[in-house]
């Protein structure tokens, strides 16, 4: 089972081959302006190829993927290219009270007006 797969894993072969994936990714990233390295849409194809390469090399060495050694290598690549990328969380705030009250009152007033109009029209049709 899983224990046998772990014993057959040739970690040294995998660690020898993974830098080839990293080198190819590095060459591809040179085509991307470094200011755009935090925009995944600019290099998603290169990153996908890099991921597939690391998986292929791990499997060729009879290792599971991901595994701690491959993850360590991938983390090193992330530090090299994406260390300046931060995840900025959007801080949502309520609008000012004046705007909030207006946004609440407009639908309420429209609803009241529509109800009044429907009632008035229904009373007028009874007369006719």
């Amino acid at each position: 089972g899983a224990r046998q797969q772990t014993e057959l894993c040739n970690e040294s072969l995998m660690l020898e081959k993974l830098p080839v994936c990293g080198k190819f990714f590095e060459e591809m990233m040179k085509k991307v302006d470094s200011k755009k390295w935090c925009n995944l849409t600019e290099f998603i194809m290169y990153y996908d190829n890099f991921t597939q390469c690391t998986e292929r090399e791990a499997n060729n060495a009879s290792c599971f993927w991901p595994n701690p050694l491959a993850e360590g290598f991938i983390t090193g690549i992330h530090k090299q290219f994406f260390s300046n990328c931060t995840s900025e969380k959007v801080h949502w705030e309520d609008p000012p009270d004046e705007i909030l009250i207006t946004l609440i009152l407009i639908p309420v007033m429209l609803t009241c007006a529509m109800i009044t109009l429907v009632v008035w029209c229904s009373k007028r049709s009874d007369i006719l």
Side-chain angles (χ1 to χ4, degrees):
R3 182 170 170 80
Q4 182 181 8
Q5 178 73 22
T6 304
E7 292 174 353
L8 296 176
C9 174
N10 187 342
E11 292 177 348
S12 58
L13 176 63
M14 181 184 64
L15 290 175
E16 180 182 314
K17 297 293 185 177
L18 287 180
V20 173
C21 302
K23 189 69 174 167
F24 179 74
F25 182 68
E26 186 176 337
E27 292 298 318
M28 293 295 104
M29 287 300 285
K30 286 179 182 177
K31 297 178 180 181
V32 179
D33 182 3
S34 62
K35 294 175 186 171
K36 296 181 179 180
W37 282 0
C38 295
N39 184 355
L40 187 60
T41 58
E42 295 290 328
F43 59 88
I44 187 68
M45 293 296 292
Y46 305 145
Y47 192 81
D48 182 54
N49 290 338
F50 168 69
T51 304
Q52 289 179 16
C53 181
T54 59
E55 183 176 6
R56 183 176 53 252
E57 294 304 338
N59 289 334
N60 286 344
S62 301
C63 301
F64 286 112
W65 187 93
N67 61 61
L69 292 174
E71 287 176 358
F73 177 77
I74 293 168
T75 300
I77 293 293
H78 278 225
K79 287 179 183 175
Q80 179 181 349
F81 290 98
F82 313 122
S83 61
N84 293 329
C85 300
T86 58
S87 176
E88 294 181 18
K89 294 187 178 182
V90 176
H91 180 68
W92 295 97
E93 294 183 16
D94 288 336
D97 287 343
E98 298 81 25
I99 294 175
L100 189 60
I101 289 170
T102 303
L103 290 173
I104 292 171
L105 286 180
I106 288 174
V108 170
M109 298 302 263
L110 284 173
T111 303
C112 290
M114 293 304 290
I115 291 171
T116 303
L117 185 63
V118 168
V119 169
W120 184 71
C121 285
S122 66
K123 285 185 178 184
R124 297 268 308 164
S125 66
D126 290 343
I127 295 172
L128 297 174

PDB file of all heavy atoms in Angstrom, residues 86-99:
ATOM      1  N   THR A  86       1.376  40.500  -1.393  1.00  0.00           N
ATOM      2  CA  THR A  86       0.629  40.400  -0.146  1.00  0.00           C
ATOM      3  C   THR A  86      -0.834  40.238  -0.471  1.00  0.00           C
ATOM      4  O   THR A  86      -1.319  40.688  -1.498  1.00  0.00           O
ATOM      5  CB  THR A  86       0.800  41.662   0.721  1.00  0.00           C
ATOM      6  OG1 THR A  86       0.369  42.791  -0.038  1.00  0.00           O
ATOM      7  CG2 THR A  86       2.237  41.856   1.149  1.00  0.00           C
ATOM      8  N   SER A  87      -1.516  39.601   0.416  1.00  0.00           N
ATOM      9  CA  SER A  87      -2.947  39.418   0.254  1.00  0.00           C
ATOM     10  C   SER A  87      -3.657  40.522   1.022  1.00  0.00           C
ATOM     11  O   SER A  87      -3.786  40.452   2.238  1.00  0.00           O
ATOM     12  CB  SER A  87      -3.359  38.040   0.786  1.00  0.00           C
ATOM     13  OG  SER A  87      -4.748  37.898   0.717  1.00  0.00           O
ATOM     14  N   GLU A  88      -4.078  41.532   0.290  1.00  0.00           N
ATOM     15  CA  GLU A  88      -4.782  42.630   0.932  1.00  0.00           C
ATOM     16  C   GLU A  88      -6.260  42.296   1.005  1.00  0.00           C
ATOM     17  O   GLU A  88      -6.903  42.085  -0.006  1.00  0.00           O
ATOM     18  CB  GLU A  88      -4.587  43.925   0.140  1.00  0.00           C
ATOM     19  CG  GLU A  88      -3.158  44.405   0.134  1.00  0.00           C
ATOM     20  CD  GLU A  88      -3.002  45.696  -0.646  1.00  0.00           C
ATOM     21  OE1 GLU A  88      -4.024  46.378  -0.879  1.00  0.00           O
ATOM     22  OE2 GLU A  88      -1.866  45.998  -1.015  1.00  0.00           O
ATOM     23  N   LYS A  89      -6.770  42.262   2.220  1.00  0.00           N
ATOM     24  CA  LYS A  89      -8.184  41.981   2.405  1.00  0.00           C
ATOM     25  C   LYS A  89      -8.952  43.296   2.322  1.00  0.00           C
ATOM     26  O   LYS A  89      -8.548  44.298   2.870  1.00  0.00           O
ATOM     27  CB  LYS A  89      -8.429  41.298   3.746  1.00  0.00           C
ATOM     28  CG  LYS A  89      -7.802  39.923   3.810  1.00  0.00           C
ATOM     29  CD  LYS A  89      -8.186  39.203   5.057  1.00  0.00           C
ATOM     30  CE  LYS A  89      -7.572  37.806   5.046  1.00  0.00           C
ATOM     31  NZ  LYS A  89      -7.956  37.046   6.200  1.00  0.00           N
ATOM     32  N   VAL A  90     -10.058  43.238   1.620  1.00  0.00           N
ATOM     33  CA  VAL A  90     -10.894  44.419   1.485  1.00  0.00           C
ATOM     34  C   VAL A  90     -11.647  44.631   2.784  1.00  0.00           C
ATOM     35  O   VAL A  90     -12.258  43.701   3.325  1.00  0.00           O
ATOM     36  CB  VAL A  90     -11.882  44.254   0.306  1.00  0.00           C
ATOM     37  CG1 VAL A  90     -12.818  45.449   0.213  1.00  0.00           C
ATOM     38  CG2 VAL A  90     -11.123  44.046  -0.982  1.00  0.00           C
ATOM     39  N   HIS A  91     -11.577  45.835   3.297  1.00  0.00           N
ATOM     40  CA  HIS A  91     -12.289  46.170   4.525  1.00  0.00           C
ATOM     41  C   HIS A  91     -13.582  46.879   4.146  1.00  0.00           C
ATOM     42  O   HIS A  91     -13.566  48.021   3.683  1.00  0.00           O
ATOM     43  CB  HIS A  91     -11.418  47.070   5.418  1.00  0.00           C
ATOM     44  CG  HIS A  91     -12.089  47.450   6.687  1.00  0.00           C
ATOM     45  ND1 HIS A  91     -12.368  46.544   7.678  1.00  0.00           N
ATOM     46  CD2 HIS A  91     -12.563  48.651   7.122  1.00  0.00           C
ATOM     47  CE1 HIS A  91     -12.976  47.161   8.669  1.00  0.00           C
ATOM     48  NE2 HIS A  91     -13.103  48.450   8.356  1.00  0.00           N
ATOM     49  N   TRP A  92     -14.694  46.171   4.310  1.00  0.00           N
ATOM     50  CA  TRP A  92     -15.981  46.727   3.940  1.00  0.00           C
ATOM     51  C   TRP A  92     -16.484  47.626   5.054  1.00  0.00           C
ATOM     52  O   TRP A  92     -16.389  47.301   6.226  1.00  0.00           O
ATOM     53  CB  TRP A  92     -16.992  45.613   3.688  1.00  0.00           C
ATOM     54  CG  TRP A  92     -16.637  44.768   2.515  1.00  0.00           C
ATOM     55  CD1 TRP A  92     -15.988  43.568   2.534  1.00  0.00           C
ATOM     56  CD2 TRP A  92     -16.883  45.052   1.140  1.00  0.00           C
ATOM     57  NE1 TRP A  92     -15.818  43.092   1.271  1.00  0.00           N
ATOM     58  CE2 TRP A  92     -16.365  43.989   0.391  1.00  0.00           C
ATOM     59  CE3 TRP A  92     -17.495  46.112   0.481  1.00  0.00           C
ATOM     60  CZ2 TRP A  92     -16.445  43.950  -0.997  1.00  0.00           C
ATOM     61  CZ3 TRP A  92     -17.575  46.067  -0.895  1.00  0.00           C
ATOM     62  CH2 TRP A  92     -17.051  44.993  -1.620  1.00  0.00           C
ATOM     63  N   GLU A  93     -17.051  48.770   4.665  1.00  0.00           N
ATOM     64  CA  GLU A  93     -17.621  49.687   5.628  1.00  0.00           C
ATOM     65  C   GLU A  93     -19.048  50.024   5.225  1.00  0.00           C
ATOM     66  O   GLU A  93     -19.376  50.045   4.045  1.00  0.00           O
ATOM     67  CB  GLU A  93     -16.808  50.989   5.681  1.00  0.00           C
ATOM     68  CG  GLU A  93     -15.421  50.813   6.218  1.00  0.00           C
ATOM     69  CD  GLU A  93     -14.675  52.146   6.310  1.00  0.00           C
ATOM     70  OE1 GLU A  93     -15.315  53.212   6.248  1.00  0.00           O
ATOM     71  OE2 GLU A  93     -13.449  52.100   6.436  1.00  0.00           O
ATOM     72  N   ASP A  94     -19.876  50.303   6.226  1.00  0.00           N
ATOM     73  CA  ASP A  94     -21.232  50.762   5.940  1.00  0.00           C
ATOM     74  C   ASP A  94     -21.158  52.162   5.352  1.00  0.00           C
ATOM     75  O   ASP A  94     -20.276  52.945   5.711  1.00  0.00           O
ATOM     76  CB  ASP A  94     -22.072  50.799   7.221  1.00  0.00           C
ATOM     77  CG  ASP A  94     -22.426  49.408   7.724  1.00  0.00           C
ATOM     78  OD1 ASP A  94     -22.430  48.474   6.902  1.00  0.00           O
ATOM     79  OD2 ASP A  94     -22.694  49.268   8.929  1.00  0.00           O
ATOM     80  N   PRO A  95     -22.106  52.480   4.481  1.00  0.00           N
ATOM     81  CA  PRO A  95     -22.124  53.849   3.957  1.00  0.00           C
ATOM     82  C   PRO A  95     -22.535  54.817   5.067  1.00  0.00           C
ATOM     83  O   PRO A  95     -23.076  54.400   6.095  1.00  0.00           O
ATOM     84  CB  PRO A  95     -23.176  53.793   2.843  1.00  0.00           C
ATOM     85  CG  PRO A  95     -24.035  52.630   3.179  1.00  0.00           C
ATOM     86  CD  PRO A  95     -23.159  51.658   3.905  1.00  0.00           C
ATOM     87  N   PRO A  96     -22.331  56.106   4.845  1.00  0.00           N
ATOM     88  CA  PRO A  96     -22.769  57.079   5.854  1.00  0.00           C
ATOM     89  C   PRO A  96     -24.276  56.949   6.101  1.00  0.00           C
ATOM     90  O   PRO A  96     -25.029  56.496   5.237  1.00  0.00           O
ATOM     91  CB  PRO A  96     -22.436  58.429   5.214  1.00  0.00           C
ATOM     92  CG  PRO A  96     -21.432  58.128   4.155  1.00  0.00           C
ATOM     93  CD  PRO A  96     -21.657  56.714   3.733  1.00  0.00           C
ATOM     94  N   ASP A  97     -24.717  57.372   7.283  1.00  0.00           N
ATOM     95  CA  ASP A  97     -26.117  57.219   7.677  1.00  0.00           C
ATOM     96  C   ASP A  97     -27.084  57.856   6.684  1.00  0.00           C
ATOM     97  O   ASP A  97     -28.145  57.293   6.403  1.00  0.00           O
ATOM     98  CB  ASP A  97     -26.348  57.806   9.072  1.00  0.00           C
ATOM     99  CG  ASP A  97     -25.743  56.925  10.163  1.00  0.00           C
ATOM    100  OD1 ASP A  97     -25.450  55.751   9.867  1.00  0.00           O
ATOM    101  OD2 ASP A  97     -25.585  57.415  11.297  1.00  0.00           O
ATOM    102  N   GLU A  98     -26.726  59.023   6.141  1.00  0.00           N
ATOM    103  CA  GLU A  98     -27.627  59.706   5.212  1.00  0.00           C
ATOM    104  C   GLU A  98     -27.900  58.834   3.983  1.00  0.00           C
ATOM    105  O   GLU A  98     -29.031  58.706   3.520  1.00  0.00           O
ATOM    106  CB  GLU A  98     -27.031  61.048   4.751  1.00  0.00           C
ATOM    107  CG  GLU A  98     -26.797  62.055   5.866  1.00  0.00           C
ATOM    108  CD  GLU A  98     -25.501  61.800   6.641  1.00  0.00           C
ATOM    109  OE1 GLU A  98     -24.564  61.189   6.078  1.00  0.00           O
ATOM    110  OE2 GLU A  98     -25.440  62.196   7.809  1.00  0.00           O
ATOM    111  N   ILE A  99     -26.854  58.234   3.453  1.00  0.00           N
ATOM    112  CA  ILE A  99     -27.000  57.381   2.268  1.00  0.00           C
ATOM    113  C   ILE A  99     -27.747  56.108   2.632  1.00  0.00           C
ATOM    114  O   ILE A  99     -28.629  55.650   1.902  1.00  0.00           O
ATOM    115  CB  ILE A  99     -25.621  57.073   1.648  1.00  0.00           C
ATOM    116  CG1 ILE A  99     -25.001  58.365   1.110  1.00  0.00           C
ATOM    117  CG2 ILE A  99     -25.732  56.024   0.555  1.00  0.00           C
ATOM    118  CD1 ILE A  99     -23.593  58.213   0.582  1.00  0.00           C
TER     119      ILE A  99
END
